Amino acid sequence: MRIVIIGNGVAGMEAAIAVREAEASWQITVISEESDHFFSRTALMWVCCGQMSHRDIEPFERDAYARFGFRRVRARAVGVDTRGHRVLLAGGLSPVPYDRLLIASGSAPRRGPWPGSDAHGVGHFVTMQDLSWYENEIHGGASRGGPPPRATAHLSATTADSPYQFREPGAELHGRVASKPAVIGGGLIGIEAAEVAVAAGLRPAFFIREEWFWPIALEPREAQWIGKRMGEHGVEVHLNHEVESLEVDPIGAVSAVKTNHGPYEADCVVIAIGVVPNTGWLANSDIERDERGGIVVDEALQTSAEDVLAAGDCASVRWFDGSRRPEQLWYTARDQGRIAGRGLLGNRSSYARGTWYNSAKLMDIEYTTAGLVNFDLERETNWFFEETGKVRSTTRVVSQDDRVVGFNMLGRRWDHTVLIKWIEERRSLSWVLPRLHQAAFDTELVPPLQAPGV
Amino acid sequence: MDQQGQNGLLATYREGWRNRGVLGFVISTMLIAFYVVLYWEHKVEARFGVAPLTALSESIGLRNRWYLYGVLYSVAMVGGGIYYLRRHGNSRYNRVRITVNVAIQIALGFTLPFVMPLFGGQEVYFSYFWPLKYDYLYPQTLESLPLYFAVYTVIGSLLAAPVLALVYGKRWYCSWVCGCGGLANTFGDPWRHLTSKSDKSWRFEKVSIGIVFVLALATTALIVVDWKIGAQHPTLHRVVAGNDWRDWSLKSFYGFAVGAVLAGVVGTGLYPLFGPRVWCRNFCPMAAMLGLIQKLGRYRITVKPGMCISCGNCSTYCEMGIDVRSYAQNDESFTRASCVGCGMCAHMCPRGVLKLESTGRRSLAVVDS
């Protein structure tokens, strides 16, 4: 049996390993344009700062392909011939035949819609190549950990529209590294890009279109609280700033961000306005995609084409609220990869999503969420507490009709499994609050949360 | 405190001296040279006619070079402790732990042994136990110690240390009390990310620390036997203890190979190249003993399921070379013999996935390895 997997991110690798664990003799080919090794995309910012090396963000040792017996193809897939059961490659490489195929091509950064978005000094922060670009802009080169192995191996088999193309830094044109970076887009990648700049001793400008930071996850009180911390770290936060264009100087490098509140000087701009499914390369293949570009899959992650599955960021799956869209999270990609692995083995099993939860780290503030927190539910009430003193935190418990439906926690650590259990048990606020400390997951010696009713 | 606590951490890989750059090799060479002179100054003196450390000690009014070493050790721990707090001080566990560890070194590892002889007392170390301080269970040593201290060290080594390791894990010693661990976590902290996480290094560690542990047990046992019956068995006495301190015997070999070469020259000299726990991870017999006990006890690292993003901050900053991520990404709570419970994995985790625990509650499965 010939298994082909496009993408060596967490979904692709989980599936590949699941197949190998069950079938020692099957031929498994992994096609990756971006990198030789599976790495944790969520850790790119730490490589850029210098807190980690490329080797550090790879979950397996570098002999993993050999150990698992995976064949590696480092090239860009440009289409799937579903009738001929072949994956087409760029660079004149011969197509790869498959008996069963998994597409796990992940996300690509959403491109800037503004004039000047392609200028030197403008980039994104999603791919390994984006990391290389941003490192060059901010630091003038890779850290002591060095670049990843065979960083440019894909360039002989790629296309001009690939998200894995290298961008030339504006720093090279100026003959110096960036001194005034700007970040556009008030989400998680944006705050990471800003933190990278702060770690390099710079004061980045952070342009956010909305009234507050990260409105899909935070309410104004929480966002203001984060905004204050960003300010203390040296980030210049500009709310309600709509970008109109990026100004380009005569040598072709970005020089300013023009907004509805006027222009701001900038010699490096990170556009962090979200990601889209990395499926543009499927335009001429008869695999059904939705209007967002996500590959349409059923409960078992089967696509419209026979023997083709899709998992991870590129697949539109059913959410807890019944809608179908891509789910751009690490742990869901991991879970989907495992389901897809079973599918590749010929065992149909279903991907079912339970109660929503997630976590993040915003500068030095940890964030945990579970349930429905920013849905403006009917008859919704919010219990909110801001803790000052030794530990700074905010706690928000969302209830509907005296049933707790969500938690939004900043600054402390919480065990989401306990929070989810309470939501699913339909507990009331007066039941939950006195027991809140049972869900605490702070490191040892941290004083417990003291709040009225808790 | 929250923000200051991360100073320099983000730039770890951007500084050559912390990443096997030229300066890293220079620091390592200097440390090795220092330890060689410290341990074998009589040979240096025989060859070059100078005893540099003794001369320096006497010129600043210290009794001998070991006091100079004590001063330097304490200074390195205080300076390194400040560095540590700047990098990781935004964790309360780290703050308390490193403060206690440095305080114990200053009080019990330096001041008390320094002061006691001034009042006619004996130089004793309350913070070191057998088998790390291997001669503290040698009968000849016990006989020469004040009775209260002989009782303290026997009970401490054979009863208190193992029991505390059962209850709290080996961290009570390796990360809160021990001077070697203290130096590693303060002066050695700039290099903590350099400890190898490879499977190969794990295999090496298991063999090497096992060999030293067996050697430590055998040496102590044979010295006890020799003390009992050595007078009637001159060959045994010659092999185990030697007739003269210059003789090569099991006792002097252990002191040379483990006490000087592995703990000092290799253990500290290689900080800038292989991370600060070379000795603790690969050779320390105390760590080996407490590690085995730890596997039977309550201590564990609890993993919150489904939240790990495989970023690897935990593994990168594990000074013992444990690939914490490999457990976390599989939602497996675990106890590893080598874990000294420094708390860094839990502190570094950006998703709050890890928690050090030594409570009786075992809510999540613990995997053995």
Side-chain angles (χ1 to χ4, degrees):
Chain A
M1 183 70 81
R2 292 165 305 178
I3 300 294
V4 175
I5 295 170
I6 300 175
N8 65 353
V10 62
M13 286 309 272
E14 284 291 338
I17 291 168
V19 173
R20 176 55 77 229
E21 279 172 355
E23 294 291 346
S25 64
W26 287 14
Q27 192 191 93
I28 301 173
T29 304
V30 181
I31 300 173
S32 168
E33 182 184 4
E34 186 176 17
S35 68
D36 266 17
H37 302 287
F38 165 45
F39 68 92
S40 179
R41 191 175 307 286
T42 49
L44 286 182
M45 66 161 283
W46 291 297
V47 178
C48 203
C49 293
Q51 181 168 308
M52 301 179 78
S53 68
H54 276 283
R55 177 64 200 82
D56 291 333
I57 67 168
E58 293 164 10
F60 302 129
E61 297 209 26
R62 282 183 170 163
D63 64 355
Y65 270 71
R67 206 154 31 87
F68 288 120
F70 299 158
R71 193 164 73 95
R72 175 193 287 121
V73 175
R74 185 80 191 279
R76 177 163 183 75
V78 291
V80 178
D81 170 9
T82 54
R83 231 159 277 159
H85 275 55
R86 304 183 306 164
V87 176
L88 310 176
L89 300 178
L93 298 177
S94 45
V96 182
Y98 64 83
D99 296 312
R100 290 188 187 129
L101 170 68
L102 171 64
I103 301 174
S105 52
S107 287
R110 188 190 297 280
R111 308 268 175 164
W114 313 286
S117 293
D118 288 320
H120 285 287
V122 182
H124 305 276
F125 195 51
V126 173
T127 66
M128 190 62 96
Q129 290 71 27
D130 292 340
L131 164 65
S132 165
W133 163 76
Y134 198 34
E135 266 195 310
N136 277 314
E137 290 285 22
I138 296 281
H139 291 286
S143 70
R144 297 280 313 185
R150 305 203 316 138
T152 59
H154 62 297
L155 294 182
S156 59
T158 186
T159 57
D161 62 342
S162 164
Y164 308 112
Q165 289 284 357
F166 286 97
R167 305 196 97 177
E168 277 172 63
E172 243 154 60
L173 290 181
H174 292 296
R176 57 173 172 76
V177 295
S179 59
K180 190 67 211 172
V183 179
I184 303 171
L188 276 183
I189 299 177
I191 198 170
E192 287 185 358
E195 186 168 359
V196 168
V198 167
L202 303 171
R203 293 180 66 85
F206 193 10
F207 297 104
I208 297 167
R209 188 177 57 183
E210 294 84 7
E211 281 173 58
W212 66 85
F213 169 71
W214 209 21
I216 60 162
L218 306 179
E219 63 143 76
R221 284 174 291 188
E222 293 159 342
Q224 277 157 20
W225 194 76
I226 298 282
K228 214 168 86 189
R229 297 293 278 270
M230 283 197 272
E232 289 169 14
H233 282 261
V235 181
E236 293 164 12
V237 182
H238 301 290
L239 301 171
N240 294 308
H241 276 53
E242 186 97 41
V243 173
E244 290 170 351
S245 68
L246 303 179
E247 307 213 328
V248 183
D249 67 15
I251 54 170
V254 70
S255 60
V257 178
K258 210 170 149 216
T259 72
N260 55 347
H261 294 276
Y264 292 83
E265 190 200 324
D267 54 5
C268 166
V269 176
V270 179
I271 299 177
I273 52 172
V275 291
V276 294
N278 178 23
T279 56
W281 58 280
L282 283 169
N284 300 317
S285 309
D286 54 352
I287 293 172
E288 192 191 343
R289 293 181 296 149
D290 64 17
E291 69 283 358
R292 298 164 199 263
I295 298 169
V296 176
V297 293
D298 66 10
E299 261 41 65
L301 305 178
Q302 197 76 47
T303 68
S304 62
E306 208 184 338
D307 296 323
V308 181
L309 293 96
D313 280 19
C314 65
S316 272
V317 295
R318 188 183 295 280
W319 280 49
F320 63 92
D321 59 1
S323 64
R324 285 192 167 277
R325 50 203 159 112
E327 206 169 25
Q328 292 129 340
L329 292 172
W330 181 266
Y331 69 91
T332 54
R334 181 184 72 163
D335 292 350
Q336 289 172 28
R338 288 174 185 171
I339 299 287
R342 278 177 233 156
L344 291 171
L345 287 162
N347 312 321
R348 219 184 129 83
S349 59
S350 297
Y351 174 71
R353 185 75 160 84
T355 302
W356 162 268
Y357 69 90
N358 198 18
S359 68
K361 194 174 182 187
L362 313 163
M363 317 293 286
D364 56 346
I365 302 161
E366 286 173 52
Y367 169 64
T368 306
T369 187
L372 307 173
V373 291
N374 273 27
F375 280 74
D376 289 323
L377 305 167
E378 281 176 34
R379 303 176 307 281
E380 172 184 308
T381 55
N382 282 265
W383 183 89
F384 182 84
F385 180 75
E386 181 180 341
E387 182 186 16
T388 51
K390 277 186 184 163
V391 182
R392 293 197 270 173
S393 75
T394 68
T395 306
R396 179 155 64 103
V397 184
V398 186
S399 310
Q400 185 186 34
D401 296 336
D402 202 36
R403 294 281 172 244
V404 168
V405 293
F407 297 87
N408 223 33
M409 321 294 232
L410 286 165
R412 282 181 175 271
R413 293 181 172 183
W414 300 92
D415 185 345
H416 62 287
T417 61
V418 177
L419 302 178
I420 288 170
K421 188 166 149 265
W422 290 340
I423 293 169
E424 289 173 351
E425 289 170 356
R426 301 176 54 77
R427 298 292 183 184
S428 67
L429 181 68
S430 56
W431 190 92
V432 164
L433 282 186
R435 292 169 180 80
L436 202 55
H437 63 271
Q438 291 175 11
F441 206 71
D442 290 309
T443 50
E444 291 165 296
L445 305 183
V446 173
L449 175 67
Q450 305 261 339
V454 173
Chain B
M1 197 70 200
D2 289 321
Q3 294 135 53
Q4 282 78 38
Q6 291 193 83
N7 274 353
L9 179 64
L10 287 160
T12 298
Y13 276 98
R14 296 214 168 265
E15 295 179 357
W17 69 280
R18 287 201 243 171
N19 291 286
R20 300 178 186 144
V22 177
L23 196 52
F25 280 90
V26 170
I27 298 170
S28 181
T29 309
M30 284 166 58
L31 285 170
I32 290 170
F34 171 79
Y35 275 96
V36 168
V37 175
L38 180 71
Y39 288 124
W40 298 289
E41 198 182 41
H42 56 282
K43 297 209 165 151
V44 174
E45 192 174 14
R47 175 171 282 220
F48 300 103
V50 282
L53 293 178
T54 300
L56 180 61
S57 310
E58 283 166 359
S59 73
I60 55 175
L62 292 169
R63 225 153 46 116
N64 59 42
R65 66 183 194 278
W66 297 104
Y67 282 104
L68 175 69
Y69 180 49
V71 172
L72 291 174
Y73 203 100
S74 301
V75 167
M77 270 186 72
V78 171
I82 293 167
Y83 179 89
Y84 179 95
L85 288 176
R86 281 171 54 86
R87 288 228 295 175
H88 316 294
N90 52 344
S91 145
R92 185 140 193 267
Y93 181 80
N94 287 344
R95 279 204 304 277
V96 175
R97 183 179 73 81
I98 221 67
T99 308
V100 169
N101 203 340
V102 172
I104 286 176
Q105 164 61 23
I106 301 294
L108 304 182
F110 178 66
T111 309
L112 207 57
F114 183 79
V115 167
M116 283 170 100
L118 298 181
F119 295 95
Q122 205 168 334
E123 177 187 331
V124 293
Y125 293 86
F126 285 90
S127 54
Y128 288 99
F129 299 95
W130 179 90
L132 174 57
K133 186 82 177 141
Y134 44 90
D135 58 338
Y136 270 9
L137 281 197
Y138 293 172
Q140 297 86 339
T141 312
L142 286 173
E143 284 172 341
S144 73
L145 290 168
L147 181 64
Y148 79 92
F149 188 78
V151 172
Y152 171 86
T153 196
V154 170
I155 292 177
S157 301
L158 299 179
L159 189 67
V163 167
L164 285 169
L166 267 180
V167 178
Y168 297 108
K170 73 201 254 190
R171 57 180 171 158
W172 83 266
Y173 190 70
C174 300
S175 285
W176 288 75
V177 173
C178 179
C180 306
L183 190 71
N185 272 175
T186 52
F187 176 68
D189 189 67
W191 303 289
R192 64 158 48 236
H193 59 292
L194 296 181
T195 305
S196 173
K197 278 77 189 181
S198 66
D199 276 345
K200 215 193 239 174
S201 68
W202 185 12
R203 288 196 296 272
F204 178 86
E205 160 203 323
K206 284 192 274 197
V207 173
S208 62
I209 202 166
I211 290 172
V212 177
F213 184 44
V214 169
L215 188 64
L217 292 178
T219 305
T220 306
L222 285 169
I223 284 171
V224 173
V225 171
D226 172 56
W227 172 69
K228 276 276 207 201
I229 60 166
Q232 295 93 52
H233 298 82
T235 316
L236 176 82
H237 182 71
R238 169 72 188 79
V239 171
V240 172
N243 296 322
D244 182 279
W245 69 271
R246 276 181 295 255
D247 283 346
W248 276 112
S249 62
L250 184 61
K251 186 177 170 185
S252 67
F253 171 77
Y254 187 87
F256 165 79
V258 179
V261 175
L262 294 179
V265 179
V266 171
T268 310
L270 295 181
Y271 274 13
L273 304 179
F274 297 102
R277 290 276 192 174
V278 173
W279 158 251
C280 315
R281 178 188 187 187
N282 299 297
F283 307 115
C284 176
M286 182 96 182
M289 181 180 83
L290 297 182
L292 293 174
I293 295 166
Q294 169 162 283
K295 298 275 299 177
L296 307 171
R298 302 199 303 190
Y299 172 75
R300 68 197 176 277
I301 295 178
T302 300
V303 173
K304 197 161 72 177
M307 201 62 107
C308 174
I309 53 170
S310 302
C311 69
N313 271 297
C314 50
S315 296
T316 303
Y317 287 89
C318 178
E319 55 187 352
M320 297 304 281
I322 299 169
D323 190 1
V324 182
R325 165 173 51 194
S326 66
Y327 300 95
Q329 67 191 357
N330 288 325
D331 299 339
E332 292 167 355
S333 298
F334 66 101
T335 304
R336 273 275 291 271
S338 63
C339 176
V340 290
C342 70
M344 199 57 69
C345 55
H347 170 56
M348 295 296 296
C349 177
R351 301 291 176 117
V353 169
L354 304 162
K355 186 174 181 182
L356 275 58
E357 289 188 303
S358 46
T359 53
R361 187 179 65 96
R362 273 181 186 260
S363 52
L364 297 159
V366 176
V367 291
D368 284 325
S369 50

